[in-house]
Amino acid sequence: MKYLKIIGQKKLSGDVKISGAKNAALPLLASTILAKNSVTIGNLPNVVDINTLLKLLEMLGSSYSKTDNNTIEINTSKIHETKATYDIVKTMRASILVLGPLLTRFGHCEVSLPGGCAIGQRPVDLHLKALEQMGAVIEIKGGYIHATAPNGLQGATIVFDKITVTGSENIIMAAALANGTTKIINAAKEPEVVQLCEVLKAAGLHIKGIGTNELEIVGTKQELLEFKNFDIIPDRIEAGTYLCAAAIANTRLNITHIIPMHLDAVLSKLEEMGFSILKDETSVTLLPAHTIKSVKIVTTEYPGFPTDMQAQFMALATQANGVSIIDEKLFENRYMHVNELLRMGADITLQGHTATITGTPNALTGTDVMATDLRASSALVLAALVASGETNIHRIYHLDRGYENLEEKLMAIGAVVKRVDE
Ligand code: EPZ
């Protein structure tokens, strides 16, 4: 096992180039199950979760080649398996994204129940209910979802009780090859969902309402789609994380290869905290604050403040003057980073899903801490950048799931970071 050793309080400056979005790449890789041709995908982040899904697609019978670290050509025409086994699904719950495409293309599939994870129970009941409304017969047996639709899925009107990102993505893909038209009401409209819709539209799918909470998809009656090649959109959460690195160190940093409008909620919160933001069409520069002000944050679906940025802003709030409040509305247990921040000297109290952070600028001290989930780990990295002395972050496999070349990007802007054997 490896851990990350970070020496705090180094001056940070320079540029960070953002990678492709993991949460766009995962549904898009799954969507190639709907393709009749080989598809070349660019700006693919070289992170563990992407390689896990590629391994699953290969186990099902797909083949792919990496033309470079961030470009692959994938062909799923030879898929002969429709079972996503526990050993791979347990390592990444987003494997559930093969359920919709496999079922709509083959009329049957078995996908291991993903189980919960550190941030919550994370059920998939809304995915399954929607598929049943489209005519699927779903049986949960032996920890697996057994799904059949012998005559293909039927178009239906789906109203999601809660906005679910991968639930929306699964049903968009299921509807693509269904018989008839599917309406999805209360669909997620995150940029990652939008790109999935755009790629499917470019492949010839008739889809209306892209970017809204209401989608209408005319299924092709099991006719596979002719995909165009595409590049993955930039990762707005990675970009937000590095903007928080600039903010917590209260220094100027330039973040490039991004779509600034995907970060509007994050940028407005940074401005509320006293930072200035310069932006052009593909980059954002954060300028230091005279004093870092406290902030109130409520996480919600896009375009509101993203839950995936909550932990990072909690670390930042430890440097603010005054008391900040964070209300985590999406997940029931997304405060695993609090205990570790407390060990570094932060002053945080929890009341249900509300965290109160009393700023203690420049008071964090380095120590041994443990990563628990992807975004909690990034909060610990941010805290370590401003803590006095040395911080060792253990279980950094969590970080490797979603942050490409983390050490290299941090060292390039002046941080002192080293990956060490336990
Ligand atoms: C996606 O997860 C992201 N993952 C998550 O990012 C992100 O935190 C989340 O959306 C919210 O934005 C990917 O895109 C691969 P949800 P997802 O379904 O789709 C409840 C990261 O750090 N729910 O939108 O699994 C659920 O429990 C990851 O990159 C049901 O009750 O999240 C949660 O409370 C972490 N039943 C809420 O809805 C269901 O069937 C939102 O979950 C599905 C969801």
Side-chain angles (χ1 to χ4, degrees):
M1 289 258 256
K2 304 241 180 202
Y3 66 91
L4 220 46
K5 182 184 292 295
I6 298 179
I7 313 292
Q9 300 182 334
K10 300 299 175 193
K11 183 94 187 81
L12 305 184
S13 69
D15 303 310
V16 181
K17 180 176 179 293
I18 296 304
S19 304
K22 161 181 85 81
N23 289 352
L26 291 169
L28 284 165
L29 283 171
S31 77
T32 61
I33 293 170
L34 308 173
K36 65 173 74 163
N37 57 315
S38 282
V39 193
T40 298
I41 303 174
N43 201 33
L44 201 63
N46 187 17
V47 294
V48 168
D49 273 7
I50 298 304
N51 295 323
T52 301
L53 186 54
L54 283 169
K55 191 169 146 214
L56 170 56
L57 290 169
E58 212 171 26
M59 281 164 68
L60 299 176
S62 310
S63 57
Y64 72 91
S65 58
K66 282 200 167 189
T67 39
D68 66 44
N69 236 1
N70 302 106
T71 309
I72 63 154
E73 181 177 357
I74 184 166
N75 185 305
T76 63
S77 57
K78 302 264 186 317
I79 286 183
H80 48 73
E81 263 300 316
T82 60
K83 180 172 185 176
T85 53
Y86 173 72
D87 59 316
I88 201 140
V89 175
K90 76 176 188 302
T91 66
M92 187 189 61
R93 64 180 313 283
S95 310
I96 192 74
L97 284 164
V98 301
L99 173 64
L102 287 175
L103 183 57
T104 202
R105 174 171 162 186
F106 296 101
H108 60 84
C109 66
E110 291 172 31
V111 177
S112 168
L113 272 173
C117 73
I119 64 176
Q121 197 244 336
R122 300 186 74 184
V124 290
D125 58 310
L126 301 178
H127 302 232
L128 304 182
K129 184 178 153 208
L131 289 171
E132 285 176 328
Q133 286 176 267
M134 297 174 74
V137 176
I138 306 270
E139 202 192 346
I140 307 288
K141 203 168 53 182
Y144 278 79
I145 299 162
H146 298 260
T148 53
N151 309 316
L153 291 173
Q154 308 310 316
T157 295
I158 308 291
V159 182
F160 276 117
D161 299 342
K162 287 173 92 167
I163 291 179
T164 160
V165 171
T166 50
S168 302
E169 291 162 346
N170 242 332
I171 300 310
I172 289 163
M173 294 188 281
L177 306 192
N179 303 311
T181 298
T182 299
K183 268 183 89 170
I184 305 174
I185 295 162
N186 209 22
K189 57 183 181 180
E190 273 66 4
E192 297 75 28
V193 181
V194 169
Q195 185 174 26
L196 173 65
C197 293
E198 286 169 346
V199 165
L200 292 174
K201 183 173 183 177
L205 188 66
H206 295 288
I207 181 165
K208 285 196 294 203
I210 296 177
T212 75
N213 292 119
E214 197 160 316
L215 297 170
E216 188 170 292
I217 298 162
V218 181
T220 65
K221 299 187 176 58
Q222 279 81 48
E223 174 68 35
L224 292 176
L225 297 164
E226 181 83 33
F227 273 51
K228 302 272 187 308
N229 297 336
F230 59 89
D231 290 341
I232 302 293
I233 57 170
D235 192 322
R236 61 193 167 99
I237 304 301
E238 186 198 15
T241 304
Y242 283 103
L243 281 166
C244 284
I248 205 165
N250 203 15
T251 186
R252 177 194 178 105
L253 215 52
N254 185 34
I255 315 289
T256 66
H257 296 78
I258 61 170
I259 301 174
M261 67 177 251
H262 288 169
L263 282 146
D264 280 349
V266 169
L267 296 177
S268 92
K269 283 299 172 190
L270 288 169
E271 286 176 323
E272 251 181 68
M273 295 182 80
F275 301 97
S276 304
I277 301 284
L278 305 177
K279 55 183 173 183
D280 64 25
E281 57 279 12
T282 60
S283 73
V284 163
T285 302
L286 181 129
L287 304 177
H290 293 296
T291 50
I292 302 176
K293 296 180 200 136
S294 60
V295 70
K296 181 163 175 24
I297 284 174
V298 181
T299 63
T300 182
E301 293 84 4
Y302 191 86
F305 188 91
T307 175
D308 290 352
M309 284 300 304
Q310 178 257 109
Q312 297 91 315
F313 266 75
M314 187 179 290
L316 173 56
T318 66
Q319 303 305 303
N321 293 276
V323 178
S324 298
I325 307 283
I326 293 183
D327 199 355
E328 172 53 66
K329 291 272 195 206
L330 270 81
F331 290 107
E332 64 272 29
N333 186 30
R334 202 166 196 176
Y335 284 135
M336 308 284 278
H337 40 288
V338 170
N339 283 337
E340 302 308 299
L341 291 172
L342 290 174
R343 299 186 59 248
M344 296 178 75
D347 179 351
I348 304 168
T349 54
L350 285 182
Q351 186 83 30
H353 47 68
T354 303
T356 302
I357 305 101
T358 303
T360 50
N362 307 313
L364 295 185
T365 53
T367 182
D368 285 276
V369 290
M370 191 174 79
T372 51
D373 60 270
L374 173 57
R375 305 305 173 184
S377 331
S378 67
L380 301 180
V381 171
L382 297 177
L385 292 175
V386 285
S388 58
E390 205 173 272
T391 301
N392 298 319
I393 302 174
H394 301 273
R395 300 193 180 180
I396 53 165
Y397 54 84
H398 291 289
L399 273 169
D400 296 337
R401 296 188 53 173
Y403 288 98
E404 185 180 46
N405 299 335
L406 179 86
E407 294 104 282
E408 294 80 354
K409 292 187 182 186
L410 285 174
M411 287 190 288
I413 57 174
V416 175
V417 186
K418 220 163 131 250
R419 188 172 289 245
V420 184
D421 280 317
E422 291 278 9

